[in-house]
Amino acid sequence: AAAATAPGYTFNAWSTSDVTISTGQFTMPAKAVGIRGSFTANANTAYKVEHYKQDLDAATYTLADTDNLTGTTGATVEASPRTYEGFTYDQNVAGTIASGTVAGNGSLVLKLYYTRNSYDVTYSYTGNTPTGATELPATVSCQYGANVTVAAAATAPGYTFNAWSTSDATIRTGQFTMPANAVGIRGSFTANTNTVYKVEHYKQDLGATTYTLADTDNLTGTTDTTVTATPRTYSGFTYDKDVAGTITSGTVTGDGKL
């Protein structure tokens, strides 16, 4: 008979010990003839491993790569996970097929799924944190590859905010793409040098112990620095630092209330 076939196997030819087969034929002897055949599993039978990555902000997955492999027909094979930045292989995702038997017709497809990692985005102030500074934004968890919008610029009375910055990601026009690591965003303040404050000059009323405002100096200084008032010269009056209520120096407050 013609050689037998089976998907994924090689036929080892027909053979018998009852007669001599030559060029596929034999002369029938005076007895029954038993002819036997056998198969050897192919070692190069094709199978596939498909790798799926989780979609951004979704529970769905998209095929990322396919490994076209070969194995021995009928043998059990196990898929080897790949390494993807920002993703973790998760054997518990529905649809995972991590191992299987190599089918002779090459139809075996193993499937591995990778969940998208999330990392924290945190905010902090460096240097001096002024009184009245904006409360720091809360820590948020963002998926790898997400487009993250940086918090609005902070404020503090009498200070200029120096912008949010980080060495963990690249911020462009107030946004960045979430990397495969936590992102620490830092901000700092610079004291304004033109914060207003006042010096009020009071003259003693005639024949009394009361005083009346005579002049006001509207000045500017650097926020949170100490300034000292400069007395004026008035004809017929002498500056007296010991008068109750005298305030000769103080700290320039960001709200301009000094």
Side-chain angles (χ1 to χ4, degrees):
T5 60
Y9 287 83
T10 298
F11 186 62
N12 297 322
W14 297 114
S15 64
T16 180
S17 59
D18 299 325
V19 294
T20 300
I21 299 175
S22 176
T23 63
Q25 295 180 326
F26 64 90
T27 300
M28 189 65 190
K31 59 180 177 180
V33 176
I35 301 176
R36 295 164 294 280
S38 63
F39 293 89
T40 298
N42 293 342
N44 61 346
T45 302
Y47 72 96
K48 295 180 179 181
V49 177
E50 295 179 342
H51 304 268
Y52 293 81
K53 290 180 179 178
Q54 185 180 14
D55 299 323
L56 186 62
D57 295 325
T60 56
Y61 291 77
T62 297
L63 179 63
D65 292 288
T66 299
D67 299 332
N68 293 297
L69 307 172
T70 58
T72 300
T73 305
T76 299
V77 290
E78 293 188 2
S80 296
R82 287 196 178 198
T83 298
Y84 291 107
E85 182 179 66
F87 292 84
T88 299
Y89 166 58
D90 186 351
Q91 62 181 355
N92 297 315
V93 174
T96 296
I97 305 172
S99 64
T101 301
V102 178
N105 62 1
S107 61
L108 175 64
V109 178
L110 304 181
K111 297 182 179 183
L112 302 184
Y113 293 83
Y114 303 78
T115 55
R116 191 176 290 265
N117 297 339
S118 292
Y119 305 90
D120 283 347
V121 177
T122 58
Y123 291 82
S124 63
Y125 290 134
T126 61
N128 176 53
T129 302
T131 300
T134 306
E135 185 177 351
L136 285 169
T139 297
V140 293
S141 181
C142 299
Q143 285 188 326
Y144 170 73
N147 190 41
V148 182
T149 299
V150 178
T155 61
Y159 283 81
T160 298
F161 187 62
N162 298 320
W164 296 114
S165 65
T166 180
S167 59
D168 300 322
T170 300
I171 298 174
R172 292 189 179 92
T173 62
Q175 297 182 322
F176 65 91
T177 300
M178 192 65 193
N181 52 260
V183 175
I185 300 177
R186 293 162 291 280
S188 62
F189 294 89
T190 297
N192 293 342
T193 58
N194 60 346
T195 303
V196 298
Y197 71 96
K198 295 179 180 181
V199 177
E200 295 178 341
H201 303 268
Y202 292 82
K203 290 179 180 179
Q204 186 178 14
D205 298 324
L206 184 63
T209 58
T210 57
Y211 291 77
T212 298
L213 178 64
D215 291 289
T216 299
D217 299 331
N218 292 297
L219 306 172
T220 60
T222 300
T223 305
D224 283 335
T225 61
T226 299
V227 291
T228 301
T230 300
R232 286 195 178 199
T233 299
Y234 290 107
S235 177
F237 291 86
T238 300
Y239 165 60
D240 184 353
K241 64 181 178 63
D242 295 321
V243 173
T246 298
I247 304 172
T248 60
S249 65
T251 301
V252 178
T253 59
D255 57 9
K257 291 184 178 180
L258 176 63

